[in-house]
Amino acid sequence: MKTRLLTLITLVTTSCANLPYQTTSSKCLFPIDSAYLGGLINYSLDVDEIDSEERLELEDLTFATCKSGSKLLILAPVPLAYPEKKVQLTLSNKVIASIKIADKSYRESRIEIQNNNFVNPSEVTQKRIKKEYTLGQKAKNTFTREEVKQVMMDKPLKGIISSEFGVKRFINGQPRNRHIGLDIAASEGTPVQVPLAGNIILSDNFFYKGNVVYIDHGDGLVSSYSHLSSRAVDVGQVVSSGEVLGFVGSTGRVTGPHLHWEVFYLGIPINPEIFLKIKY
Ligand SMILES: [Zn+2]
């Protein structure tokens, strides 16, 4: 009986929807609401609507909360392939808001890659890709409880957007993963600057990403910079906004020199443009 009860408790605990992550931010200067596929829900509640004992849930979406004065922000990254058109915010199972998720018509991109090893990698290369994928997964899911005073970012470099976030890609006619970054084209060797302070958690050379750097900005906000010609930072280094982290290049799977920039919030890739202080 005791064992059964314990099992039941464990099941209840593990089957609970994602509990909100409470940010350490005191000012809650997060981007404005962009509730669309690949965007970020920023929904505001009055604190006195909530009893601290009550449980907030947003269906199956992972989210964070940030308390600022009399407001509580609900911050939820929306996965690109999220199937629902709206999501209900519940407080101890009672619906308190229904948040609409807008569709976004992302374009298709078809590219041709001649180097067969990048299209159909060998078994040895596949092993390497798997290992690097695991390292990338670990990096993007980094949660450091460190106060992020503000999350808005500077442009990492001057250049034109050559491929937007979310594009549906086909390589040599075959459907591939969605484009979860923003491509900024610039000439080889252009410096790439840290857009927001943080810690370098990964600096390596990957098969697809080429020379890549990951920055942990704290509180579940992580960014990455791929295809660099060279890296100028090491793991464990603390970097400030404006510092050079590397240089634009064409390492890894590319068709020309550019920066592939990814931003993850709570482990989910979202459109980096949402975080730009000044829009392109
Ligand atoms: Zn890209």
Side-chain angles (χ1 to χ4, degrees):
M1 188 63 194
K2 205 173 178 185
T3 325
R4 276 189 63 192
L5 189 65
L6 266 178
T7 315
L8 194 67
I9 291 169
T10 316
L11 276 175
V12 169
T13 317
T14 50
S15 66
C16 259
N18 304 306
L19 289 175
Y21 172 79
Q22 291 178 335
T23 65
T24 57
S25 174
S26 52
K27 292 198 179 127
C28 302
L29 299 173
F30 286 88
I32 56 161
D33 188 45
S34 49
Y36 60 78
L37 299 176
L40 179 75
I41 294 172
N42 182 345
Y43 188 84
S44 169
L45 281 174
D46 284 323
V47 172
D48 38 308
E49 284 177 41
I50 304 158
D51 180 332
S52 59
E53 294 295 302
E54 293 182 297
R55 202 177 67 246
L56 265 173
E57 285 175 307
L58 193 57
E59 297 194 24
D60 54 348
L61 285 184
T62 302
F63 68 104
T65 56
C66 190
K67 191 173 171 290
S68 173
S70 61
K71 294 284 178 196
L72 183 76
L73 298 187
I74 309 294
L75 302 154
V78 185
L80 259 174
Y82 196 63
E84 308 300 334
K85 300 244 183 308
K86 64 178 179 190
V87 63
Q88 290 183 328
L89 181 66
T90 53
L91 189 60
S92 294
N93 298 323
K94 202 180 93 199
V95 177
I96 55 167
S98 183
I99 301 169
K100 209 174 157 240
I101 294 168
D103 198 6
K104 205 164 170 14
S105 51
Y106 290 108
R107 72 177 173 94
E108 285 184 0
S109 150
R110 292 170 188 273
I111 58 166
E112 297 294 321
I113 288 181
Q114 303 302 331
N115 184 342
N116 189 49
N117 201 28
F118 277 119
V119 185
N120 298 302
S122 68
E123 226 166 90
V124 175
T125 307
Q126 281 180 39
K127 271 193 190 154
R128 179 183 167 189
I129 293 167
K130 216 172 151 187
K131 202 176 127 211
E132 293 168 355
Y133 173 79
T134 309
L135 290 171
Q137 289 288 311
K138 191 171 166 246
K140 75 173 193 177
N141 284 297
T142 303
F143 286 70
T144 310
R145 285 200 70 76
E146 201 162 290
E147 178 163 3
V148 182
K149 296 211 168 44
Q150 57 95 22
V151 299
M152 299 311 279
M153 302 184 185
D154 298 310
K155 290 175 194 172
L157 75 158
K158 286 197 185 91
I160 57 150
I161 293 177
S162 51
S163 184
E164 318 88 276
F165 172 91
V167 169
K168 297 165 184 161
R169 296 180 305 171
F170 294 81
I171 295 177
N172 300 353
Q174 300 295 314
R176 295 292 169 129
N177 291 339
R178 299 282 291 270
H179 187 234
I180 59 158
L182 182 72
D183 286 352
I184 306 170
S187 53
E188 188 102 10
T190 305
V192 177
Q193 292 170 306
V194 171
L196 178 70
N199 299 311
I200 305 298
I201 48 169
L202 204 152
S203 174
D204 209 337
N205 182 277
F206 282 3
F207 181 72
Y208 284 131
K209 292 176 181 293
N211 279 314
V212 60
V213 167
Y214 279 75
I215 306 176
D216 169 21
H217 304 287
D219 260 351
L221 184 66
V222 172
S223 60
S224 80
Y225 308 80
S226 304
H227 310 308
L228 304 169
S229 61
S230 65
R231 292 168 273 130
V233 287
D234 293 317
V235 172
Q237 198 175 324
V238 177
V239 287
S240 313
S241 182
E243 262 183 64
V244 174
L245 64 86
F247 302 88
V248 170
S250 41
T251 55
R253 188 177 64 188
V254 291
T255 50
H258 72 277
L259 172 75
H260 171 85
W261 180 29
E262 294 173 349
V263 171
F264 302 94
Y265 188 52
L266 309 178
I268 311 283
I270 50 178
N271 187 354
E273 288 178 89
I274 292 171
F275 289 89
L276 283 174
K277 279 183 201 159
I278 303 161
K279 307 295 173 202
Y280 274 84

mmCIF file of all heavy atoms in Angstrom, residues 24-67:
data_model
loop_
_atom_site.group_PDB
_atom_site.id
_atom_site.type_symbol
_atom_site.label_atom_id
_atom_site.label_comp_id
_atom_site.label_asym_id
_atom_site.label_seq_id
_atom_site.Cartn_x
_atom_site.Cartn_y
_atom_site.Cartn_z
ATOM 1 N N THR A 24 15.168 35.983 -12.040
ATOM 2 C CA THR A 24 15.767 36.745 -10.947
ATOM 3 C C THR A 24 15.718 38.247 -11.242
ATOM 4 O O THR A 24 16.102 39.048 -10.424
ATOM 5 C CB THR A 24 17.241 36.329 -10.759
ATOM 6 O OG1 THR A 24 17.906 36.537 -11.998
ATOM 7 C CG2 THR A 24 17.372 34.885 -10.354
ATOM 8 N N SER A 25 15.256 38.567 -12.448
ATOM 9 C CA SER A 25 15.234 39.962 -12.878
ATOM 10 C C SER A 25 14.321 40.808 -11.979
ATOM 11 O O SER A 25 13.217 40.402 -11.652
ATOM 12 C CB SER A 25 14.746 40.026 -14.327
ATOM 13 O OG SER A 25 14.591 41.354 -14.726
ATOM 14 N N SER A 26 14.802 41.970 -11.582
ATOM 15 C CA SER A 26 13.989 42.813 -10.701
ATOM 16 C C SER A 26 13.205 43.840 -11.498
ATOM 17 O O SER A 26 12.210 44.366 -11.036
ATOM 18 C CB SER A 26 14.880 43.490 -9.662
ATOM 19 O OG SER A 26 15.946 44.135 -10.328
ATOM 20 N N LYS A 27 13.653 44.111 -12.725
ATOM 21 C CA LYS A 27 12.972 45.145 -13.513
ATOM 22 C C LYS A 27 12.047 44.576 -14.582
ATOM 23 O O LYS A 27 11.169 45.275 -15.079
ATOM 24 C CB LYS A 27 14.008 46.071 -14.155
ATOM 25 C CG LYS A 27 14.729 46.914 -13.102
ATOM 26 C CD LYS A 27 15.403 48.091 -13.743
ATOM 27 C CE LYS A 27 16.096 48.956 -12.703
ATOM 28 N NZ LYS A 27 17.485 49.187 -13.040
ATOM 29 N N CYS A 28 12.248 43.345 -14.951
ATOM 30 C CA CYS A 28 11.399 42.668 -15.941
ATOM 31 C C CYS A 28 11.329 43.412 -17.268
ATOM 32 O O CYS A 28 10.248 43.621 -17.820
ATOM 33 C CB CYS A 28 9.990 42.456 -15.403
ATOM 34 S SG CYS A 28 9.921 41.509 -13.887
ATOM 35 N N LEU A 29 12.477 43.826 -17.773
ATOM 36 C CA LEU A 29 12.490 44.545 -19.056
ATOM 37 C C LEU A 29 12.595 43.551 -20.207
ATOM 38 O O LEU A 29 13.634 43.410 -20.841
ATOM 39 C CB LEU A 29 13.646 45.544 -19.094
ATOM 40 C CG LEU A 29 13.584 46.633 -18.013
ATOM 41 C CD1 LEU A 29 14.848 47.466 -18.027
ATOM 42 C CD2 LEU A 29 12.364 47.521 -18.219
ATOM 43 N N PHE A 30 11.527 42.848 -20.445
ATOM 44 C CA PHE A 30 11.502 41.837 -21.496
ATOM 45 C C PHE A 30 10.880 42.406 -22.768
ATOM 46 O O PHE A 30 10.170 43.416 -22.722
ATOM 47 C CB PHE A 30 10.729 40.601 -21.020
ATOM 48 C CG PHE A 30 11.507 39.788 -20.028
ATOM 49 C CD1 PHE A 30 11.432 40.078 -18.675
ATOM 50 C CD2 PHE A 30 12.342 38.771 -20.455
ATOM 51 C CE1 PHE A 30 12.182 39.356 -17.757
ATOM 52 C CE2 PHE A 30 13.099 38.044 -19.544
ATOM 53 C CZ PHE A 30 13.015 38.327 -18.198
ATOM 54 N N PRO A 31 11.128 41.758 -23.928
ATOM 55 C CA PRO A 31 10.536 42.274 -25.166
ATOM 56 C C PRO A 31 9.011 42.299 -25.092
ATOM 57 O O PRO A 31 8.407 41.530 -24.337
ATOM 58 C CB PRO A 31 10.984 41.258 -26.223
ATOM 59 C CG PRO A 31 12.111 40.508 -25.633
ATOM 60 C CD PRO A 31 11.930 40.556 -24.157
ATOM 61 N N ILE A 32 8.411 43.179 -25.879
ATOM 62 C CA ILE A 32 6.949 43.278 -25.890
ATOM 63 C C ILE A 32 6.347 41.972 -26.425
ATOM 64 O O ILE A 32 7.042 41.167 -27.023
ATOM 65 C CB ILE A 32 6.445 44.473 -26.735
ATOM 66 C CG1 ILE A 32 7.006 44.383 -28.169
ATOM 67 C CG2 ILE A 32 6.801 45.796 -26.082
ATOM 68 C CD1 ILE A 32 6.237 45.210 -29.167
ATOM 69 N N ASP A 33 5.058 41.817 -26.184
ATOM 70 C CA ASP A 33 4.370 40.586 -26.570
ATOM 71 C C ASP A 33 4.522 40.305 -28.065
ATOM 72 O O ASP A 33 4.262 41.166 -28.902
ATOM 73 C CB ASP A 33 2.886 40.726 -26.199
ATOM 74 C CG ASP A 33 2.149 39.424 -26.393
ATOM 75 O OD1 ASP A 33 2.685 38.378 -25.979
ATOM 76 O OD2 ASP A 33 1.046 39.448 -26.960
ATOM 77 N N SER A 34 4.982 39.117 -28.399
ATOM 78 C CA SER A 34 5.071 38.692 -29.802
ATOM 79 C C SER A 34 4.583 37.246 -29.843
ATOM 80 O O SER A 34 5.362 36.313 -30.009
ATOM 81 C CB SER A 34 6.497 38.824 -30.328
ATOM 82 O OG SER A 34 7.408 38.223 -29.432
ATOM 83 N N ALA A 35 3.278 37.098 -29.597
ATOM 84 C CA ALA A 35 2.685 35.761 -29.469
ATOM 85 C C ALA A 35 2.430 35.152 -30.849
ATOM 86 O O ALA A 35 1.319 35.142 -31.348
ATOM 87 C CB ALA A 35 1.397 35.844 -28.661
ATOM 88 N N TYR A 36 3.493 34.687 -31.470
ATOM 89 C CA TYR A 36 3.355 33.985 -32.748
ATOM 90 C C TYR A 36 4.325 32.799 -32.764
ATOM 91 O O TYR A 36 5.178 32.676 -31.884
ATOM 92 C CB TYR A 36 3.599 34.939 -33.934
ATOM 93 C CG TYR A 36 4.961 35.593 -33.999
ATOM 94 C CD1 TYR A 36 6.074 34.891 -34.468
ATOM 95 C CD2 TYR A 36 5.151 36.920 -33.617
ATOM 96 C CE1 TYR A 36 7.323 35.494 -34.543
ATOM 97 C CE2 TYR A 36 6.403 37.532 -33.701
ATOM 98 C CZ TYR A 36 7.479 36.809 -34.166
ATOM 99 O OH TYR A 36 8.711 37.405 -34.236
ATOM 100 N N LEU A 37 4.193 31.939 -33.760
ATOM 101 C CA LEU A 37 5.065 30.767 -33.846
ATOM 102 C C LEU A 37 6.511 31.232 -33.980
ATOM 103 O O LEU A 37 6.843 31.965 -34.896
ATOM 104 C CB LEU A 37 4.673 29.904 -35.051
ATOM 105 C CG LEU A 37 3.246 29.338 -35.031
ATOM 106 C CD1 LEU A 37 2.948 28.588 -36.322
ATOM 107 C CD2 LEU A 37 3.019 28.445 -33.822
ATOM 108 N N GLY A 38 7.352 30.846 -33.030
ATOM 109 C CA GLY A 38 8.744 31.297 -33.033
ATOM 110 C C GLY A 38 8.934 32.608 -32.285
ATOM 111 O O GLY A 38 10.017 33.168 -32.280
ATOM 112 N N GLY A 39 7.856 33.103 -31.651
ATOM 113 C CA GLY A 39 7.912 34.357 -30.905
ATOM 114 C C GLY A 39 7.882 34.129 -29.396
ATOM 115 O O GLY A 39 8.136 33.016 -28.918
ATOM 116 N N LEU A 40 7.576 35.189 -28.661
ATOM 117 C CA LEU A 40 7.589 35.120 -27.202
ATOM 118 C C LEU A 40 6.317 35.756 -26.627
ATOM 119 O O LEU A 40 6.059 36.938 -26.863
ATOM 120 C CB LEU A 40 8.822 35.862 -26.679
ATOM 121 C CG LEU A 40 9.010 35.923 -25.171
ATOM 122 C CD1 LEU A 40 9.491 34.580 -24.627
ATOM 123 C CD2 LEU A 40 10.011 37.004 -24.783
ATOM 124 N N ILE A 41 5.560 34.966 -25.903
ATOM 125 C CA ILE A 41 4.377 35.506 -25.232
ATOM 126 C C ILE A 41 4.857 36.330 -24.039
ATOM 127 O O ILE A 41 5.713 35.874 -23.278
ATOM 128 C CB ILE A 41 3.456 34.362 -24.726
ATOM 129 C CG1 ILE A 41 2.855 33.586 -25.908
ATOM 130 C CG2 ILE A 41 2.370 34.894 -23.800
ATOM 131 C CD1 ILE A 41 2.105 32.330 -25.505
ATOM 132 N N ASN A 42 4.346 37.546 -23.914
ATOM 133 C CA ASN A 42 4.634 38.373 -22.743
ATOM 134 C C ASN A 42 3.288 38.885 -22.258
ATOM 135 O O ASN A 42 2.769 39.878 -22.746
ATOM 136 C CB ASN A 42 5.578 39.523 -23.137
ATOM 137 C CG ASN A 42 5.948 40.403 -21.951
ATOM 138 O OD1 ASN A 42 5.304 40.336 -20.898
ATOM 139 N ND2 ASN A 42 6.963 41.230 -22.118
ATOM 140 N N TYR A 43 2.712 38.147 -21.323
ATOM 141 C CA TYR A 43 1.358 38.436 -20.852
ATOM 142 C C TYR A 43 1.433 38.935 -19.413
ATOM 143 O O TYR A 43 2.115 38.345 -18.574
ATOM 144 C CB TYR A 43 0.517 37.153 -20.951
ATOM 145 C CG TYR A 43 -0.946 37.365 -20.674
ATOM 146 C CD1 TYR A 43 -1.802 37.792 -21.682
ATOM 147 C CD2 TYR A 43 -1.470 37.148 -19.395
ATOM 148 C CE1 TYR A 43 -3.150 38.001 -21.426
ATOM 149 C CE2 TYR A 43 -2.815 37.360 -19.133
ATOM 150 C CZ TYR A 43 -3.644 37.784 -20.155
ATOM 151 O OH TYR A 43 -4.974 37.996 -19.899
ATOM 152 N N SER A 44 0.714 40.018 -19.154
ATOM 153 C CA SER A 44 0.814 40.635 -17.829
ATOM 154 C C SER A 44 -0.432 40.384 -16.977
ATOM 155 O O SER A 44 -1.556 40.511 -17.449
ATOM 156 C CB SER A 44 1.030 42.131 -18.068
ATOM 157 O OG SER A 44 0.893 42.831 -16.893
ATOM 158 N N LEU A 45 -0.204 40.021 -15.713
ATOM 159 C CA LEU A 45 -1.312 39.775 -14.772
ATOM 160 C C LEU A 45 -1.158 40.715 -13.575
ATOM 161 O O LEU A 45 -0.042 41.102 -13.236
ATOM 162 C CB LEU A 45 -1.203 38.360 -14.201
ATOM 163 C CG LEU A 45 -1.659 37.166 -15.023
ATOM 164 C CD1 LEU A 45 -1.283 35.903 -14.266
ATOM 165 C CD2 LEU A 45 -3.165 37.203 -15.246
ATOM 166 N N ASP A 46 -2.276 41.042 -12.930
ATOM 167 C CA ASP A 46 -2.181 41.809 -11.690
ATOM 168 C C ASP A 46 -1.847 40.845 -10.561
ATOM 169 O O ASP A 46 -2.484 39.803 -10.438
ATOM 170 C CB ASP A 46 -3.517 42.512 -11.391
ATOM 171 C CG ASP A 46 -3.687 43.733 -12.287
ATOM 172 O OD1 ASP A 46 -2.669 44.398 -12.550
ATOM 173 O OD2 ASP A 46 -4.817 43.977 -12.734
ATOM 174 N N VAL A 47 -0.856 41.184 -9.782
ATOM 175 C CA VAL A 47 -0.404 40.268 -8.733
ATOM 176 C C VAL A 47 -1.529 39.922 -7.752
ATOM 177 O O VAL A 47 -1.667 38.776 -7.326
ATOM 178 C CB VAL A 47 0.815 40.851 -7.986
ATOM 179 C CG1 VAL A 47 1.163 40.016 -6.773
ATOM 180 C CG2 VAL A 47 2.007 40.934 -8.922
ATOM 181 N N ASP A 48 -2.387 40.907 -7.423
ATOM 182 C CA ASP A 48 -3.431 40.597 -6.436
ATOM 183 C C ASP A 48 -4.492 39.632 -6.967
ATOM 184 O O ASP A 48 -5.356 39.203 -6.232
ATOM 185 C CB ASP A 48 -4.057 41.876 -5.850
ATOM 186 C CG ASP A 48 -4.233 42.964 -6.862
ATOM 187 O OD1 ASP A 48 -3.232 43.266 -7.522
ATOM 188 O OD2 ASP A 48 -5.355 43.471 -7.015
ATOM 189 N N GLU A 49 -4.383 39.249 -8.230
ATOM 190 C CA GLU A 49 -5.301 38.222 -8.754
ATOM 191 C C GLU A 49 -4.836 36.847 -8.299
ATOM 192 O O GLU A 49 -5.544 35.868 -8.441
ATOM 193 C CB GLU A 49 -5.268 38.202 -10.296
ATOM 194 C CG GLU A 49 -6.007 39.323 -10.984
ATOM 195 C CD GLU A 49 -5.841 39.219 -12.514
ATOM 196 O OE1 GLU A 49 -5.890 38.106 -13.045
ATOM 197 O OE2 GLU A 49 -5.659 40.275 -13.132
ATOM 198 N N ILE A 50 -3.592 36.778 -7.803
ATOM 199 C CA ILE A 50 -2.987 35.470 -7.544
ATOM 200 C C ILE A 50 -2.635 35.251 -6.082
ATOM 201 O O ILE A 50 -2.032 36.104 -5.437
ATOM 202 C CB ILE A 50 -1.688 35.321 -8.376
ATOM 203 C CG1 ILE A 50 -2.026 35.555 -9.852
ATOM 204 C CG2 ILE A 50 -1.065 33.954 -8.197
ATOM 205 C CD1 ILE A 50 -0.832 35.955 -10.643
ATOM 206 N N ASP A 51 -3.007 34.080 -5.611
ATOM 207 C CA ASP A 51 -2.633 33.653 -4.281
ATOM 208 C C ASP A 51 -1.348 32.843 -4.485
ATOM 209 O O ASP A 51 -1.282 32.014 -5.391
ATOM 210 C CB ASP A 51 -3.783 32.764 -3.750
ATOM 211 C CG ASP A 51 -3.510 32.239 -2.361
ATOM 212 O OD1 ASP A 51 -2.335 32.089 -2.005
ATOM 213 O OD2 ASP A 51 -4.490 31.980 -1.644
ATOM 214 N N SER A 52 -0.313 33.093 -3.686
ATOM 215 C CA SER A 52 0.982 32.438 -3.922
ATOM 216 C C SER A 52 0.911 30.902 -3.859
ATOM 217 O O SER A 52 1.787 30.215 -4.367
ATOM 218 C CB SER A 52 2.014 32.955 -2.928
ATOM 219 O OG SER A 52 1.569 32.684 -1.632
ATOM 220 N N GLU A 53 -0.126 30.394 -3.231
ATOM 221 C CA GLU A 53 -0.264 28.940 -3.126
ATOM 222 C C GLU A 53 -0.824 28.331 -4.414
ATOM 223 O O GLU A 53 -0.739 27.139 -4.640
ATOM 224 C CB GLU A 53 -1.220 28.578 -1.964
ATOM 225 C CG GLU A 53 -0.699 28.945 -0.587
ATOM 226 C CD GLU A 53 0.553 28.165 -0.207
ATOM 227 O OE1 GLU A 53 0.473 26.931 -0.188
ATOM 228 O OE2 GLU A 53 1.596 28.800 0.038
ATOM 229 N N GLU A 54 -1.439 29.177 -5.226
ATOM 230 C CA GLU A 54 -2.086 28.657 -6.426
ATOM 231 C C GLU A 54 -1.074 28.384 -7.529
ATOM 232 O O GLU A 54 -0.034 29.033 -7.606
ATOM 233 C CB GLU A 54 -3.152 29.639 -6.908
ATOM 234 C CG GLU A 54 -4.312 29.750 -5.947
ATOM 235 C CD GLU A 54 -5.383 30.698 -6.455
ATOM 236 O OE1 GLU A 54 -5.083 31.886 -6.611
ATOM 237 O OE2 GLU A 54 -6.500 30.235 -6.701
ATOM 238 N N ARG A 55 -1.436 27.420 -8.375
ATOM 239 C CA ARG A 55 -0.498 26.990 -9.414
ATOM 240 C C ARG A 55 -0.859 27.558 -10.787
ATOM 241 O O ARG A 55 -1.977 27.404 -11.259
ATOM 242 C CB ARG A 55 -0.489 25.466 -9.468
ATOM 243 C CG ARG A 55 0.754 24.883 -10.075
ATOM 244 C CD ARG A 55 0.757 23.371 -10.046
ATOM 245 N NE ARG A 55 -0.270 22.800 -10.913
ATOM 246 C CZ ARG A 55 -1.308 22.114 -10.460
ATOM 247 N NH1 ARG A 55 -1.461 21.889 -9.181
ATOM 248 N NH2 ARG A 55 -2.192 21.624 -11.299
ATOM 249 N N LEU A 56 0.090 28.231 -11.382
ATOM 250 C CA LEU A 56 -0.115 28.795 -12.722
ATOM 251 C C LEU A 56 0.368 27.788 -13.763
ATOM 252 O O LEU A 56 1.459 27.232 -13.633
ATOM 253 C CB LEU A 56 0.732 30.053 -12.878
ATOM 254 C CG LEU A 56 0.119 31.411 -12.598
ATOM 255 C CD1 LEU A 56 1.206 32.455 -12.646
ATOM 256 C CD2 LEU A 56 -0.998 31.763 -13.564
ATOM 257 N N GLU A 57 -0.432 27.585 -14.808
ATOM 258 C CA GLU A 57 0.000 26.693 -15.888
ATOM 259 C C GLU A 57 -0.405 27.288 -17.224
ATOM 260 O O GLU A 57 -1.396 28.010 -17.318
ATOM 261 C CB GLU A 57 -0.630 25.300 -15.732
ATOM 262 C CG GLU A 57 0.004 24.491 -14.626
ATOM 263 C CD GLU A 57 -0.695 23.166 -14.380
ATOM 264 O OE1 GLU A 57 -1.926 23.180 -14.171
ATOM 265 O OE2 GLU A 57 -0.015 22.135 -14.412
ATOM 266 N N LEU A 58 0.355 26.958 -18.242
ATOM 267 C CA LEU A 58 0.080 27.460 -19.583
ATOM 268 C C LEU A 58 0.076 26.257 -20.527
ATOM 269 O O LEU A 58 0.943 26.107 -21.377
ATOM 270 C CB LEU A 58 1.168 28.478 -19.977
ATOM 271 C CG LEU A 58 0.926 29.352 -21.185
ATOM 272 C CD1 LEU A 58 -0.362 30.158 -21.072
ATOM 273 C CD2 LEU A 58 2.100 30.294 -21.404
ATOM 274 N N GLU A 59 -0.892 25.386 -20.271
ATOM 275 C CA GLU A 59 -0.990 24.109 -21.000
ATOM 276 C C GLU A 59 0.382 23.443 -21.035
ATOM 277 O O GLU A 59 1.027 23.342 -20.002
ATOM 278 C CB GLU A 59 -1.602 24.326 -22.389
ATOM 279 C CG GLU A 59 -3.042 24.849 -22.244
ATOM 280 C CD GLU A 59 -3.844 24.789 -23.523
ATOM 281 O OE1 GLU A 59 -3.546 23.980 -24.411
ATOM 282 O OE2 GLU A 59 -4.809 25.570 -23.621
ATOM 283 N N ASP A 60 0.861 23.059 -22.230
ATOM 284 C CA ASP A 60 2.147 22.339 -22.268
ATOM 285 C C ASP A 60 3.327 23.257 -22.563
ATOM 286 O O ASP A 60 4.426 22.789 -22.839
ATOM 287 C CB ASP A 60 2.087 21.196 -23.290
ATOM 288 C CG ASP A 60 1.668 21.665 -24.668
ATOM 289 O OD1 ASP A 60 1.212 22.827 -24.786
ATOM 290 O OD2 ASP A 60 1.793 20.892 -25.622
ATOM 291 N N LEU A 61 3.123 24.571 -22.523
ATOM 292 C CA LEU A 61 4.239 25.486 -22.814
ATOM 293 C C LEU A 61 5.116 25.725 -21.583
ATOM 294 O O LEU A 61 4.604 25.885 -20.479
ATOM 295 C CB LEU A 61 3.711 26.832 -23.306
ATOM 296 C CG LEU A 61 3.165 26.913 -24.732
ATOM 297 C CD1 LEU A 61 2.774 28.345 -25.056
ATOM 298 C CD2 LEU A 61 4.183 26.423 -25.751
ATOM 299 N N THR A 62 6.402 25.752 -21.811
ATOM 300 C CA THR A 62 7.357 26.099 -20.757
ATOM 301 C C THR A 62 7.305 27.616 -20.622
ATOM 302 O O THR A 62 7.261 28.320 -21.625
ATOM 303 C CB THR A 62 8.780 25.697 -21.208
ATOM 304 O OG1 THR A 62 8.761 24.303 -21.471
ATOM 305 C CG2 THR A 62 9.815 26.006 -20.157
ATOM 306 N N PHE A 63 7.283 28.124 -19.413
ATOM 307 C CA PHE A 63 7.264 29.582 -19.278
ATOM 308 C C PHE A 63 7.983 30.041 -18.023
ATOM 309 O O PHE A 63 8.278 29.253 -17.128
ATOM 310 C CB PHE A 63 5.832 30.137 -19.332
ATOM 311 C CG PHE A 63 4.957 29.788 -18.162
ATOM 312 C CD1 PHE A 63 4.685 30.732 -17.181
ATOM 313 C CD2 PHE A 63 4.396 28.533 -18.029
ATOM 314 C CE1 PHE A 63 3.857 30.435 -16.101
ATOM 315 C CE2 PHE A 63 3.578 28.206 -16.955
ATOM 316 C CZ PHE A 63 3.306 29.165 -15.993
ATOM 317 N N ALA A 64 8.267 31.341 -17.985
ATOM 318 C CA ALA A 64 8.903 31.941 -16.818
ATOM 319 C C ALA A 64 7.978 33.031 -16.302
ATOM 320 O O ALA A 64 7.111 33.520 -17.033
ATOM 321 C CB ALA A 64 10.253 32.538 -17.218
ATOM 322 N N THR A 65 8.157 33.402 -15.060
ATOM 323 C CA THR A 65 7.400 34.526 -14.526
ATOM 324 C C THR A 65 8.386 35.576 -14.038
ATOM 325 O O THR A 65 9.508 35.251 -13.639
ATOM 326 C CB THR A 65 6.499 34.102 -13.340
ATOM 327 O OG1 THR A 65 7.321 33.485 -12.351
ATOM 328 C CG2 THR A 65 5.396 33.158 -13.772
ATOM 329 N N CYS A 66 7.952 36.831 -14.086
ATOM 330 C CA CYS A 66 8.795 37.901 -13.573
ATOM 331 C C CYS A 66 7.890 38.895 -12.861
ATOM 332 O O CYS A 66 6.908 39.378 -13.438
ATOM 333 C CB CYS A 66 9.547 38.577 -14.720
ATOM 334 S SG CYS A 66 10.812 39.706 -14.132
ATOM 335 N N LYS A 67 8.204 39.162 -11.596
ATOM 336 C CA LYS A 67 7.358 40.058 -10.815
ATOM 337 C C LYS A 67 7.969 41.453 -10.789
ATOM 338 O O LYS A 67 9.139 41.626 -10.463
ATOM 339 C CB LYS A 67 7.216 39.522 -9.395
ATOM 340 C CG LYS A 67 6.158 40.224 -8.596
ATOM 341 C CD LYS A 67 5.963 39.513 -7.258
ATOM 342 C CE LYS A 67 5.064 40.331 -6.344
ATOM 343 N NZ LYS A 67 5.692 41.556 -5.847
#
